Amino acid sequence: MNEEILNIYENFQNESLSIFFDDLISFINKYHLEFSKYISGEYLESMEKFEAKNFILGHSDDNFEVAIPYYKDLIEQGLDKENICRQVSSLVWDLSGYLLDKICPNCHDSNLRLTSSIDKKQIITFCDECLYTGIDGKFVEIDEEILPANKNQVNSYLKQQYM
Ligand SMILES: [Zn+2]
């Protein structure tokens, strides 16, 4: 598991996030049993079906050229399986995250991210900093897991905003 994820990180190129993203998803599928110990079932099941072509990648404020070497270091220092699973899962979240040009109305500390309900019926704005969740600009408490919004959801959201 360690060698394999290191290989994937080794091949990381900021210019080809799609290949990297799909490699991470294959990795998650291959180690499904390990991931299922730490990542909630519904979320994991959805994540295992992610494909780079369905997302707008690299539209968060994360700097992967800095993050990946750091993640690699952690693994080389002997990161355990649980934390490898968490690292890969949060990397998928960061890569697929679509950050809006809109500051969080609650903490004013971070921009809102566009996310979706598991059934993809609801578009939810989410703050990574304070975990604020909103629908149509209003605070709404969400009990279930949320997914990164896919390409279609981002496009239809942006279209609505500028109509
Ligand atoms: Zn916030």
Side-chain angles (χ1 to χ4, degrees), residues 27 85 97 129:
F27 178 81
C85 291
E129 211 60 49

Side-chain angles (χ1 to χ4, degrees), residues 64-131:
F64 299 108
E65 274 168 327
V66 174
I68 304 297
Y70 172 70
Y71 287 168
K72 235 170 78 185
D73 266 6
L74 289 177
I75 292 179
E76 278 162 351
Q77 285 163 28
L79 199 65
D80 61 16
K81 285 184 174 163
E82 170 174 0
N83 283 299
I84 292 177
C85 291
R86 295 195 187 283
Q87 186 187 85
V88 171
S89 170
S90 79
L91 193 47
V92 167
W93 173 257
D94 291 339
L95 280 162
S96 54
Y98 191 91
L99 225 54
L100 295 168
D101 203 10
K102 229 182 227 174
I103 200 97
C104 171
N106 186 45
C107 69
H108 307 282
D109 217 30
S110 172
N111 280 22
L112 290 171
R113 171 192 292 261
L114 214 54
T115 66
S116 157
S117 57
I118 295 261
D119 64 9
K120 305 204 177 77
K121 286 184 181 146
Q122 201 73 258
I123 290 186
I124 300 158
T125 50
F126 174 72
C127 174
D128 277 297
E129 211 60 49
C130 70
L131 311 183

